[in-house]
């Protein structure tokens, strides 16, 4: 098989790595890829949003199977373009990727099908949103830009004044662009967060091992929201009871709801859950693997990933048993100092050879680039240092040990990834 992966982050690196382990796969391409992905795949210089060029490439190279890693192309309808060309592709069509593409859509879906989530209202104008805040709201409260905003379109507002200003930030100043044409205002919840990834074939859903992300930039969950500074899997807080509740009220219910709406979902659904005192509730849906959740979940998956993805496309997922290793994994993101705001790029990186021959240790590249001088940084999140261990504590110690193996001048990381393990 010839496989094409669309994307350029750490998530796409681990997807490429898993694809390379499949005995079915002869050749892997990745568009646009990065320096690390270039070690397991041939990088192709086509952007993830250039659907026609990507489909033309896939036809010309006789690609057998394409995997879309990123949210933007999925929400933009890349799968529909590939299918129209008769190409086999893993990911939801545009009419299903809306599950991530519009928070208003996903909230209305959950309300209609009684899937537990925070109480909310949608607003199309700043006037209506402000009137609601003036008259009906309780604080703190959460404002969400409706559309895709790189995980940054969520404002938690402690007072009415903050919330009124937040409406202007999203809907008037358009800090998140057109994502802010519509706004969701929702109840503030408290509890632990868990990320649950799943494979879906339109009818059947199979849940992967749980994980937890660390979204804030600084230790102690301080600082700005980022794409994710580190993850661990499994989450010790994702208990049997939580799993049973979610199986009964959330997972299959979501797949059935999408089908009932005429939007059958094929691909990965990522459930962002909050474990509240009233039980688990859905914080958000994503229509793809999490990044850096994929790094800790996929390295623990025993299945041939290509088999599972093909079963999603062929609607035979009911015949697959997902299996995970009875161990743990931790990913610590090495970022450029200053991320997610201002940071320098193009800085030389050293130490990659330290990973050679080290089983259970991985350097999944996120923002890197191959130059004549060597590999240089090329983004805010640079590399996800990932390690396995017999349990979470061992995996965390291994991952932090390996963070010292790679160096670059403006290297920054959180030092408390997986600290919550100690409270479990
Ligand atoms: P989202 O992109 O919807 O996952 O939101 C980003 C982050 O904001 C989540 O991971 C939570 O930490 C926080 N958040 C979102 N919605 C709520 C809510 N209703 N209550 C409390 N925190 C929230
Ligand atoms: N790490 C969170 C996400 O991928 O959305």
């Amino acid at each position: 098989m010839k496989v094409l992966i669309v994307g350029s982050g750490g998530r796409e690196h681990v997807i490429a790595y898993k694809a390379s382990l499949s005995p079915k796969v002869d050749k892997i391409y990745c568009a646009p890829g990065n320096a690390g992905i270039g070690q397991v795949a041939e990088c192709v210089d086509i952007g993830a949003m250039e659907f026609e060029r990507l489909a033309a490439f896939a036809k010309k190279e006789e690609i057998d199977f394409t995997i879309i890693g990123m949210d933007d192309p999925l929400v933009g309808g890349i799968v529909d373009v590939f299918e129209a060309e008769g190409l086999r592709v893993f990911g939801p069509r545009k009419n299903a990727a809306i599950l991530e593409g519009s928070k208003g859509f996903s909230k209305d879906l959950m309300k209609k099908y009684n899937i537990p989530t925070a109480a909310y209202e949608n607003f199309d104008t700043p006037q209506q949103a402000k009137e609601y805040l003036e008259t009906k709201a309780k604080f703190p409260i959460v404002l969400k830009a409706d559309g895709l905003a790189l995980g940054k379109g969520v404002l938690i507002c402690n007072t009415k004044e903050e919330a009124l200003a937040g409406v202007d930030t999203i809907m008037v100043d358009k800090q998140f662009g057109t994502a802010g044409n519509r706004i969701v205002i929702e109840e503030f919840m408290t509890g632990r967060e868990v990320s649950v990834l799943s494979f879906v074939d339109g009818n059947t859903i199979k849940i992967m091992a749980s994980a937890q992300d660390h979204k804030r930039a600084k230790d102690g969950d301080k600082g700005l929201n980022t794409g994710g500074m580190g993850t661990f899997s499994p989450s010790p807080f994702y208990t049997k009871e939580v799993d049973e509740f979610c199986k009964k009220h959330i997972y299959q219910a979501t797949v059935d709801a999408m089908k009932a709406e005429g939007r059958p979902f094929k691909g990965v659904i990522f459930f962002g859950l909050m474990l509240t005192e009233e039980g688990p509730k859905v914080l958000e849906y994503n229509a793809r693997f999490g990044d850096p959740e994929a790094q800790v979940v996929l390295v623990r998956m025993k299945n041939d990933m290509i088999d599972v993805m093909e079963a999603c496309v062929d609607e035979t997922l009911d015949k697959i048993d997902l299996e995970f290793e009875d161990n743990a994994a931790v990913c610590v993101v090495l970022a450029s100092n200053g991320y997610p705001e201002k940071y320098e790029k193009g800085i030389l990186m050293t130490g990659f050879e330290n990973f050679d021959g080290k089983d259970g240790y991985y350097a999944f590249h996120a923002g890197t680039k191959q130059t004549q001088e060597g590999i240089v940084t090329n983004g805010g999140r640079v590399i996800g240092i990932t390690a396995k261990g017999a349990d979470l504590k061992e995996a965390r110690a291994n991952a932090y040990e390996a963070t010292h193996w790679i160096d670059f001048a403006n290297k920054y990381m959180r030092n408390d990834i997986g600290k919550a393990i100690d409270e479990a």
Side-chain angles (χ1 to χ4, degrees), residues 2 189 263 345 387 396:
K2 284 183 172 181
M189 304 189 287
R263 300 169 181 274
K345 294 199 281 194
R396 180 177 60 186

Side-chain angles (χ1 to χ4, degrees), residues 103 142 144 154 186-189 193 215 283-284:
K103 292 195 189 282
V142 183
K144 297 185 174 185
V154 174
E186 74 174 30
E187 169 202 3
F188 175 76
M189 304 189 287
E193 289 184 38
K215 286 207 170 93
L283 273 173
E284 65 160 347

Side-chain angles (χ1 to χ4, degrees), residues 125-394:
T125 69
Q127 292 75 23
Q128 290 168 329
K130 286 182 181 174
E131 190 187 315
Y132 174 82
L133 291 171
E134 292 281 4
T135 55
K136 301 210 179 89
K138 283 204 212 98
F139 300 88
I141 202 157
V142 183
L143 310 186
K144 297 185 174 185
D146 181 68
L148 291 182
L150 297 167
K152 290 166 195 154
V154 174
L155 303 180
I156 295 178
C157 304
N158 288 312
T159 63
K160 190 195 287 183
E161 289 63 40
E162 263 181 57
L164 291 169
V167 169
D168 282 337
T169 304
I170 294 175
M171 299 193 91
V172 181
D173 307 337
K174 294 270 158 83
Q175 191 166 326
F176 312 107
T178 53
N181 288 351
R182 221 175 161 211
I183 197 170
V184 177
I185 300 188
E186 74 174 30
E187 169 202 3
F188 175 76
M189 304 189 287
T190 51
R192 288 201 183 271
E193 289 184 38
V194 184
S195 301
V196 176
L197 310 179
S198 66
F199 287 104
V200 184
D201 74 355
N203 299 297
T204 301
I205 178 164
K206 294 277 162 103
I207 301 302
M208 295 180 235
S210 63
Q212 184 175 323
D213 188 13
H214 299 66
K215 286 207 170 93
R216 301 297 197 98
K218 303 221 162 100
D219 284 9
D221 290 327
K222 304 236 162 61
L224 294 170
N225 259 321
T226 71
M229 295 298 293
T231 39
F232 57 85
S233 172
S235 162
F237 309 104
Y238 190 79
T239 59
K240 218 166 161 233
E241 292 70 46
V242 172
D243 185 57
E244 272 162 18
F245 180 95
C246 296
K247 284 193 169 129
K248 198 160 165 204
H249 300 287
I250 296 177
Y251 303 145
Q252 190 68 48
T254 301
V255 175
D256 293 346
M258 289 299 281
K259 194 175 169 192
E261 293 293 308
R263 300 169 181 274
F265 192 104
K266 287 186 181 186
V268 169
I269 299 183
F270 165 149
F271 298 86
L273 302 175
M274 189 172 266
L275 309 181
T276 75
E277 287 199 337
E278 297 160 30
K281 292 189 184 182
V282 177
L283 273 173
E284 65 160 347
Y285 292 117
N286 294 310
R288 35 104 193 142
F289 287 98
D291 186 347
E293 282 88 343
Q295 287 84 322
V296 287
V297 172
L298 286 179
V299 296
R300 299 183 55 225
M301 190 171 86
K302 291 187 188 171
N303 303 69
D304 180 331
M305 180 191 72
I306 299 295
D307 281 347
V308 182
M309 289 179 169
E310 287 203 283
C312 291
V313 173
D314 297 335
E315 302 181 17
T316 54
L317 190 61
D318 57 325
K319 306 218 164 52
I320 299 263
D321 278 322
L322 279 190
E323 287 188 284
F324 287 82
E325 293 170 2
D326 184 20
N327 58 9
V330 170
C331 171
V332 180
V333 171
L334 305 186
S336 304
N337 195 22
Y339 171 73
E341 294 185 287
K342 266 175 74 175
Y343 50 86
E344 258 187 86
K345 294 199 281 194
I347 295 174
L348 191 68
M349 303 173 67
T350 56
F352 295 101
E353 68 284 358
N354 292 318
F355 284 83
D356 292 347
K358 296 267 189 7
D359 249 13
Y361 291 84
Y362 313 85
F364 291 121
H365 293 223
T368 66
K369 197 164 105 183
Q370 185 73 52
T371 68
Q372 291 197 327
E373 287 73 48
I375 295 175
V376 301
T377 64
N378 191 38
R381 291 193 292 175
V382 175
I383 199 161
I385 303 299
T386 305
K388 293 203 268 201
D391 58 20
L392 283 163
K393 283 188 182 168
E394 192 181 297

Side-chain angles (χ1 to χ4, degrees), residues 42-60:
E42 183 175 330
C43 294
V44 184
D45 192 17
I46 306 178
M49 295 306 284
E50 297 182 82
F51 302 167
E52 304 294 338
R53 279 187 74 200
L54 288 168
F57 173 84
K59 285 198 97 164
K60 182 168 138 278

